[in-house]
Amino acid sequence: RQALRLRTTEPEDHATPGSTRIGGTPDLPPGIDYPATDGKLWRFYAQIDLADIAALQSWLPRTGRLYFFGEGQEEGDGVRVLHSNAPAADLQPYAWPKDAEFADGVDVSDAHEGYKVRIDATVSLPNLYNAGGGRLSGEDASLLEIDRDDKLQEAYWALEAELAGDGERRNGAHLMNAHVFTQHENPQEQASRERGGLPQEWINLLTLDSDNKPGFCFWDAGTFTFSIHEKDLALGDFSRVHWSLESS
């Protein structure tokens, strides 16, 4: 599957409004309020400049920015993905209000640090862990034969890790439109069960890995995935984005 790999590089200096970043604070357009629950702020995870990645992918809008927020990491918490085509000149850097708290009860002084991002195109391979039961169909089903050969299995794991940037885990490798390791239901299966549609109709917009640089830690060093149904993405409707968290 065609995918993008986002590596955090150096601390964000906010010299370019609207630039792609992981963590920190967003540059919000007029008319968009920072998400909050009863006055408590949601976590800000990422801001993606779509023009920067237009030449690297074919599934997202070509212009504007995507903003990724989450209320928390517990069942029932919400997420919000916002898309705006406001010009960079209209964007306003968000500043944390004095003495504010996040919805998870943590003071904003413990906010995730902002980091610049290097983005490149990659390929995401299906994860073979617990892959039976019809998860892999068509030509992909032949991948199940790899489990019968130890050398092939080790080679496949090594290739999967290289493409995903696993050598940089805990140091900033995040993915868009990628397969996600899961011990049970994957993000697309969860979204299908909870929101409808077939699993293959759901697209993993962004998978955030636990990352020491901004200070991401999803449960026990897991991953946090935002998924959208293909029809909603075609309509530019980000109001029904589903989230899932995978951890050991």
Side-chain angles (χ1 to χ4, degrees):
R1 180 187 298 171
Q2 182 188 8
L4 298 179
R5 183 171 48 197
L6 295 77
R7 295 182 173 98
T8 46
T9 55
E10 58 184 327
E12 174 62 79
D13 57 13
H14 297 276
T16 306
S19 60
T20 296
R21 70 183 60 119
I22 298 289
T25 56
D27 302 319
L28 294 176
I32 291 185
D33 295 326
Y34 192 105
T37 299
D38 298 328
K40 294 188 176 183
L41 305 174
W42 290 18
R43 293 280 187 171
F44 169 71
Y45 289 118
Q47 172 178 290
I48 308 294
D49 184 345
L50 295 170
D52 276 354
I53 61 174
L56 300 177
Q57 54 81 31
S58 60
W59 59 90
L60 293 172
R62 319 308 290 166
T63 60
R65 288 162 191 83
L66 290 177
Y67 303 86
F68 294 82
F69 299 89
E71 186 177 18
Q73 299 182 26
E74 303 299 331
E75 185 176 356
D77 288 339
V79 293
R80 189 166 301 166
V81 177
L82 306 173
H83 177 228
S84 171
N85 275 312
D90 291 347
L91 301 179
Q92 295 295 320
Y94 185 80
W96 303 119
K98 185 178 180 181
D99 300 326
E101 286 187 2
F102 290 114
D104 57 14
V106 177
D107 189 86
V108 294
S109 61
D110 193 37
H112 301 306
E113 296 293 328
Y115 271 78
K116 296 181 180 180
V117 177
R118 183 173 77 251
I119 305 175
D120 59 347
T122 186
V123 174
S124 178
L125 302 181
N127 188 278
L128 301 185
Y129 179 86
N130 199 21
R135 275 187 169 179
L136 299 180
S137 59
E139 293 182 351
D140 286 347
S142 63
L143 295 174
L144 296 174
E145 300 294 324
I146 290 174
D147 284 340
R148 302 178 183 180
D149 185 313
D150 289 345
K151 289 186 177 180
L152 277 178
Q153 187 176 68
E154 290 178 5
Y156 190 89
W157 287 343
L159 177 60
E160 180 185 29
E162 179 181 352
L163 292 170
D166 280 359
E168 300 181 48
R169 287 174 68 91
R170 304 295 292 161
N171 285 296
H174 311 279
L175 296 164
M176 304 185 78
N177 197 44
H179 294 281
V180 178
F181 169 79
T182 178
Q183 298 183 62
H184 302 289
E185 285 185 318
N186 64 39
Q188 292 160 287
E189 290 168 330
Q190 292 180 46
S192 170
R193 174 173 51 81
E194 296 177 18
R195 301 287 178 84
L198 300 173
Q200 59 266 31
E201 295 172 349
W202 285 85
I203 295 167
N204 294 332
L205 275 176
L206 175 65
T207 298
L208 297 168
D209 202 349
S210 293
D211 182 349
N212 284 332
K213 290 181 179 177
F216 291 167
C217 187
F218 303 113
W219 289 359
D220 186 16
T223 58
F224 193 103
T225 298
F226 299 80
S227 304
I228 188 171
H229 193 273
E230 61 184 9
K231 289 184 179 178
D232 291 331
L233 182 57
L235 293 171
D237 180 1
F238 292 86
S239 65
R240 291 200 318 130
V241 169
H242 180 271
W243 73 272
S244 61
L245 192 151
E246 174 66 26
S247 183
S248 59

